[in-house]
Amino acid sequence: MFSYWDGLAGDEGDAHGNPFCYNGDCNWGTRNRTVAKDEILEQEIYKELLRVARTAESPEKKNRLIETTRRFKLPEKLKRSAERELAVEDGRRRGRNPYFHRGRIDDPTAFIGRARELTELERTVVGPARVPTALAGERRIGKSSLAAALERRIRAGDGVRVPVARVDALEIAPYDPDAFYEALTRALVAAGAENGLGMVTPKDDVSQSGSPAAAAPRPLHHPQLVMMIDEFDALLDNSAFDEKFFAGLADLARLPHIAMLILSVAGPAALVRTHGARLARIAATFTEFRLGPFTHAEARELIAIPSARENYPLLPYAERILSLSGRFPLTLQTVCAIFFDALAETLGQSPVRETLVRERALDESGSYLRYLVSRLTGDERAILDRAPLPAAAASDPAVRHLERRGYLEQNDDRLEPFSSLLQDALPGRHKLARTTHTARLIYAGLTLLALVPVALLVFLFAFGSASETGFDGPRISARA
């Protein structure tokens, strides 16, 4: 049997060069019931039409072919289903939606922005004037990804081989100091082997001749070993990690040939306030490096670059995306992923419906936004609940603190929450919404109750009038 797509492989087409024609018949695919016997096969034909349109050589040809697919006779429901299936297939062929990054980003091509922070962190952690550093910031703000970028930069440095050992505190099992040091030793052994240094342990005096590190002479301003401890907060809620453990870790970080970076939600001073004296040595040893949301320029880069690589540019939607997501990396990635999927499902030919995007964004980001709100004090939540605020409110230290952390943003002459979705996560907003909804229901009920007597009077008046006149005409009285 002749395949409809044999016509696409040859010179078939109409006088205008439309390839979706066979022997001059441009509705062949929908009229030839020997091939398209049912809607399933027609749906497959429609998907193939879309595939050919997507691979068109020029924008003009692509637009012409897209117009041809629009004229294809198939129920809209099946068309939308075919477009979604094709988007999934294309996503698999490309590998994935470029915004599906919910954890540590190890791919250097996917790491966007943070150039200033990376340079400063490198100077603080491994520079000549290095100090033990605590990289602090909200969860999902990008700490692990920034540390991974720093690790890549150290490994690809100026020709000096510096082993980097990284331990994720969440992956320790069983959860005690012995298991931690075992995991640290394994990381050090792997780092030493990767750099051709043999086994390197924290107890090695790498400044002595004949030590495992002596095979690779280094300038004095370089550390001999870099240690990174991710998810440091996981150690804090376990009583097995006592004051002695943290004091030993601080002493290790003070060694002149070791550079140490820990990643935590709170900075050293805040950790002492929360967890007491057992972290006093950590607070006295480590310097806080605070990581906040993206800058506006970085946020726009994240919107523009990955989507342009996949031929679905999101930059025209940048303002709509930022109004929903703000500049926090996780919410920005989430909203970009939703916009990207919406464009991919329609081959970029239909506008993105913001109501659907908002619903999906709330579903996917709601728990994270509620977590951010839970981290705020009662006064800070009250400030956000009153937003938008006049710009003059920035003189209030609490407001200024929220603005510095990225929760409030300057918009013209007002301070607004960084995301319109955040407002739905505020308890006060929920309470206000529930109160407003209840008030509306009560008002509607009272209105109905007030209308019932009026409706009854109207009915009685109409019934009385009908009784006087009768149904066959007015009655004639006996006197008449």
Side-chain angles (χ1 to χ4, degrees):
M1 182 175 62
F2 179 83
S3 169
Y4 176 64
W5 302 108
D6 290 343
L8 296 181
D11 297 328
E12 317 295 342
D14 62 5
H16 302 288
N18 188 341
F20 302 128
C21 302
Y22 175 63
N23 291 337
D25 184 357
C26 294
N27 287 319
W28 185 89
T30 53
R31 285 206 296 266
N32 191 330
R33 295 302 170 183
T34 62
V35 176
K37 292 181 179 180
D38 51 37
E39 289 181 340
I40 296 177
L41 186 54
E42 288 182 345
Q43 189 177 28
E44 290 301 314
I45 293 174
Y46 179 73
K47 283 171 61 177
E48 195 64 31
L49 287 171
L50 293 176
R51 288 192 187 97
V52 175
R54 170 166 290 182
T55 57
E57 298 174 355
S58 66
E60 294 78 10
K61 187 175 181 180
K62 178 178 179 179
N63 291 336
R64 186 172 70 249
L65 300 183
I66 287 291
E67 183 59 33
T68 303
T69 63
R70 287 175 178 165
R71 296 201 304 269
F72 192 87
K73 295 179 181 179
L74 188 69
E76 285 299 315
K77 182 178 179 180
L78 294 179
K79 281 190 175 184
R80 300 290 84 79
S81 175
E83 290 166 0
R84 285 193 294 271
E85 292 175 8
L86 184 61
V88 171
E89 292 173 9
D90 288 345
R92 289 173 182 160
R93 187 162 57 249
R94 290 194 303 267
R96 60 188 176 190
N97 183 316
Y99 296 101
F100 281 149
H101 296 291
R102 300 295 183 265
R104 172 186 168 107
I105 298 176
D106 291 309
D107 181 3
T109 63
F111 182 78
I112 294 173
R114 304 297 197 190
R116 178 182 60 81
E117 290 90 342
L118 182 57
T119 300
E120 292 181 2
L121 187 64
E122 181 183 26
R123 184 174 63 250
T124 304
V125 176
V126 297
R130 61 185 175 274
V131 293
T133 304
L135 178 58
E138 301 291 358
R139 292 197 180 278
R140 305 297 186 181
I141 201 71
K143 300 186 296 295
S144 297
S145 298
L146 183 61
L150 176 62
E151 183 176 342
R152 289 192 297 271
R153 180 172 287 192
I154 293 171
R155 293 181 188 277
D158 55 3
V160 179
R161 293 181 301 167
V162 179
V164 179
R166 184 180 68 87
V167 175
D168 190 331
L170 288 177
E171 298 176 359
I172 299 170
Y175 215 59
D176 56 40
D178 290 339
F180 173 84
Y181 280 117
E182 287 178 10
L184 181 59
T185 300
R186 287 194 299 271
L188 291 169
V189 170
E194 183 178 338
N195 288 268
L197 303 176
M199 181 174 179
V200 181
T201 68
K203 296 180 181 179
D204 287 328
D205 184 2
V206 291
S207 64
Q208 286 184 348
S209 176
S211 70
R218 302 176 182 83
L220 293 177
H221 62 273
H222 278 286
Q224 305 272 324
L225 177 66
V226 178
M227 298 171 57
M228 297 183 180
I229 304 175
D230 202 352
E231 299 292 349
F232 184 77
D233 306 83
L235 306 176
L236 306 178
D237 297 326
N238 190 331
S239 58
F241 297 93
D242 54 12
E243 183 176 357
K244 181 179 178 181
F245 168 82
F246 290 113
L249 198 61
D251 290 340
L252 186 63
R254 286 195 180 101
L255 293 177
H257 53 273
I258 288 180
M260 186 177 292
L261 175 69
I262 62 174
L263 285 66
S264 64
V265 173
L271 290 178
V272 171
R273 290 195 299 270
T274 307
H275 297 277
R278 67 179 177 138
L279 290 174
R281 293 278 287 278
I282 292 290
T285 302
F286 284 81
T287 298
E288 178 177 343
F289 187 101
R290 171 63 57 174
L291 187 65
F294 283 135
T295 64
H296 284 285
E298 289 172 334
R300 294 180 73 87
E301 283 182 12
L302 183 62
I303 293 170
I305 295 175
S307 59
R309 289 173 184 162
E310 302 295 338
N311 297 317
Y312 290 119
L314 294 183
L315 193 57
Y317 301 92
E319 297 306 320
R320 291 169 60 185
I321 290 172
L322 288 172
S323 69
L324 286 171
S325 68
R327 295 178 286 116
F328 277 71
L330 178 64
T331 53
L332 182 56
Q333 291 267 14
T334 300
V335 175
C336 282
I338 295 169
F339 266 83
F340 185 90
D341 283 344
L343 282 178
E345 287 177 4
T346 61
L347 300 179
Q349 298 299 309
S350 300
V352 177
R353 290 195 291 173
E354 193 163 332
T355 53
L356 295 180
V357 171
R358 185 179 183 85
E359 290 175 3
R360 283 189 57 188
L362 276 173
D363 287 342
E364 296 185 25
S365 302
S367 60
Y368 177 68
L369 292 171
R370 287 190 288 275
Y371 157 76
L372 291 179
V373 171
S374 71
R375 295 264 304 154
L376 301 175
T377 66
D379 291 340
E380 290 171 337
R381 284 197 292 269
I383 291 172
L384 286 179
D385 199 40
R386 295 198 307 269
L389 304 171
S395 58
D396 184 340
V399 173
R400 193 161 57 248
H401 181 61
L402 284 173
E403 186 179 9
R404 190 163 51 247
R405 292 168 62 188
Y407 285 86
L408 287 172
E409 288 190 353
Q410 188 84 29
N411 187 6
D412 295 331
D413 58 345
R414 301 189 305 174
L415 287 169
E416 298 179 345
F418 75 89
S419 164
S420 60
L421 298 177
L422 181 66
Q423 299 177 1
D424 296 319
L426 292 171
R429 298 295 174 104
H430 285 167
K431 183 177 180 180
L432 178 62
R434 289 194 298 268
T435 303
T436 303
H437 182 64
T438 303
R440 288 175 178 170
L441 289 177
I442 294 174
Y443 177 78
L446 292 175
T447 302
L448 287 175
L449 288 175
L451 289 176
V452 167
V454 176
L456 184 61
L457 289 174
V458 171
F459 174 75
L460 292 175
F461 178 77
F463 183 78
S465 299
S467 300
E468 288 293 328
T469 60
F471 295 102
D472 297 324
R475 293 182 177 179
I476 302 175
S477 65
R479 293 180 182 177

